[in-house]
Amino acid sequence: MIDRRSFLVTGATAAAAMSFAPRMAFARAATDRRFVFIIQRGAADGLHTLAPIGDPAYAAARVGLAEEFAAAPRLDSMFALHPAMKTVAGLYAQKQALFLHATASPYRDRSHFDGQNVLETGAAGAYQVKDGWLNRLLGALPADEAKAIAVAVTVPLALRGSHDVASYAPSALPQASDDLLQRVAMLYEGDKQLHALWSEAIDTRKLTSDMAAGNGRNAVATGALAAKLLAAPGGAKIAMIETGGWDTHAQQRGRLAGQLTGLDGMIGALQTGLGPLWANTVVLVATEFGRTVAVNGTGGTDHGTASAAMLVGGGVKGGRVLADWPGLGASALYEGRDLKPTTSLDGFIGGAVAGHFGLDPARIMPALFPGAQARAIEGLV
């Protein structure tokens, strides 16, 4: 547990952000670092991902959901991790996973579109900035390291801006027949170089096919494909992966278990696919806002405020849960219904990025989060 005083307040303003040139001079030399941002679109329930079992008000507030944590891995005396997150639990035990709870961006309303806009642009309010914080980060990195890719049909807002990025997703065109693919393989069989390239293309085809299938394999396949793209020589060093389906207004227990199983599998596939690169990788998982403390009449939860975020990877100083915990008693709730935000999601992201890429948080924060008065949390990576 940590308190507010352990955060470094940058005091940055939007005007300071404008003083940075397109290629910021404080970047360090390129390395083998990799960074992945997994966005949870739909407002993932942090209270059902990382349950505050040590809070005396928790069980009564979460009847029908709290029971799922009876045998869940305990991270400490306060928090338990959802049982579907087996890979992440293992990474936590290896000190390669770190959680932040009761966190939120500056956004305080409950619109998915507006909340995602604030999360992705890094602004203090919706539609105040047109480009994304992840694209602006590219301007702080050496040219060899400022290569990003979106594993998505279109480039998400967080990656849009003046710096070029790529995107990769399954094609909507009809698939070639197995017979045709076999004939081409036979044609290339006698050529060592072409045969190797063709084999790699077939492997990638299978991954993209699994991504498009939507049959439970797609989350793992997406993670494996992202790892393949990040591990390629001369390829991207930064990736963003979109995940949806986190808006659990009804039947949350079963639905969220499926979502978290997929996320856990995706992270496991990233670790496996990156191999030795995992040791210098940081994966950020964050959502636009949380959900109500109380369970509604259909076994779900509604749009809330604070949630949980996580960092995983070999580059993370993990094995910790950071939380200035506000409590779940009626008098402690935000607007009488939500988990109160006590820590800055902007500061969490900025601190992770600054630490991972060797950047000065006092200079990078206003560039990534203009006007948001963000706090940089240090010592994360």
Side-chain angles (χ1 to χ4, degrees), residues 25-341:
F26 53 90
R28 293 184 178 180
T31 70
D32 284 333
R33 293 172 290 216
R34 300 295 189 275
F35 182 83
V36 182
F37 175 28
I38 301 175
I39 187 170
Q40 299 169 293
R41 296 198 187 278
D45 188 359
L47 291 169
H48 201 168
T49 302
L50 191 64
I53 55 171
D55 189 311
Y58 167 71
R62 286 263 160 154
V63 174
L65 298 181
E67 294 81 357
E68 195 163 15
F69 289 86
R74 265 56 172 175
L75 302 185
D76 56 27
S77 61
M78 175 63 77
F79 297 104
L81 185 63
H82 193 284
M85 304 287 281
K86 294 181 175 62
T87 298
V88 174
L91 291 171
Y92 183 88
Q94 299 171 45
K95 300 190 184 304
Q96 294 185 22
L98 179 150
F99 300 90
L100 178 70
H101 218 319
T103 187
S105 76
Y107 184 70
R108 290 294 177 271
D109 293 316
R110 300 178 179 91
S111 161
H112 290 303
F113 298 108
D114 293 356
Q116 290 172 28
N117 183 275
V118 172
L119 172 60
E120 293 187 77
T121 62
Y127 311 106
Q128 295 180 0
V129 177
K130 293 184 178 180
D131 57 354
W133 66 264
L134 197 50
N135 189 280
R136 294 195 296 276
L137 172 64
L138 299 179
L141 302 178
D144 289 345
E145 205 163 14
K147 298 177 181 179
I149 190 165
V151 185
V153 176
T154 60
V155 176
L157 177 56
L159 269 177
R160 294 180 203 165
S162 60
H163 302 283
D164 292 337
V165 301
S167 63
Y168 196 102
S171 172
L173 296 174
Q175 293 280 0
S177 69
D178 291 338
D179 180 67
L180 175 60
L181 295 175
Q182 182 64 30
R183 288 174 182 271
V184 175
M186 292 173 62
L187 181 65
Y188 289 161
E189 195 170 16
D191 188 306
K192 183 176 181 180
Q193 184 176 7
L194 288 177
H195 180 70
L197 291 171
W198 180 253
S199 297
E200 185 176 354
I202 292 299
D203 290 342
T204 301
R205 175 181 182 270
K206 183 181 185 304
L207 290 174
T208 56
S209 176
D210 286 350
M211 278 180 63
N215 58 4
R217 298 175 301 175
N218 56 338
V220 174
T222 300
L225 177 60
K228 189 179 185 71
L229 297 170
L230 288 167
K237 303 296 181 72
I238 294 171
M240 180 171 174
I241 302 174
E242 293 186 297
T243 65
W246 299 96
D247 196 14
T248 51
H249 286 285
Q251 300 176 339
Q252 175 170 306
R253 183 165 174 170
R255 289 180 58 196
L256 196 58
Q259 290 289 116
L260 292 173
T261 298
L263 176 62
D264 191 69
M266 179 182 291
I267 291 170
L270 281 168
Q271 180 186 18
T272 300
L274 286 170
L277 292 172
W278 179 256
N280 210 7
T281 294
V282 170
V283 180
L284 163 71
V285 183
T287 192
E288 67 262 32
F289 48 75
R291 307 194 72 81
T292 52
V293 172
V295 182
N296 63 29
T298 58
T301 53
D302 300 317
H303 298 179
T305 306
S307 189
M310 67 182 83
L311 295 174
V312 296
V316 176
K317 294 179 180 177
R320 299 177 289 160
V321 179
L322 309 183
D324 180 7
W325 190 246
L328 297 179
S331 62
L333 301 184
Y334 179 76
E335 296 187 346
R337 49 170 277 167
D338 299 340
L339 176 64
K340 183 183 297 182

Side-chain angles (χ1 to χ4, degrees), residues 345-379:
L345 182 56
D346 291 350
F348 185 65
I349 296 171
V353 167
H356 187 51
F357 290 104
L359 303 171
D360 179 0
R363 301 184 69 186
I364 194 63
M365 288 298 289
L368 300 188
F369 305 102
Q373 298 295 313
R375 306 168 179 180
I377 305 176
E378 297 188 289

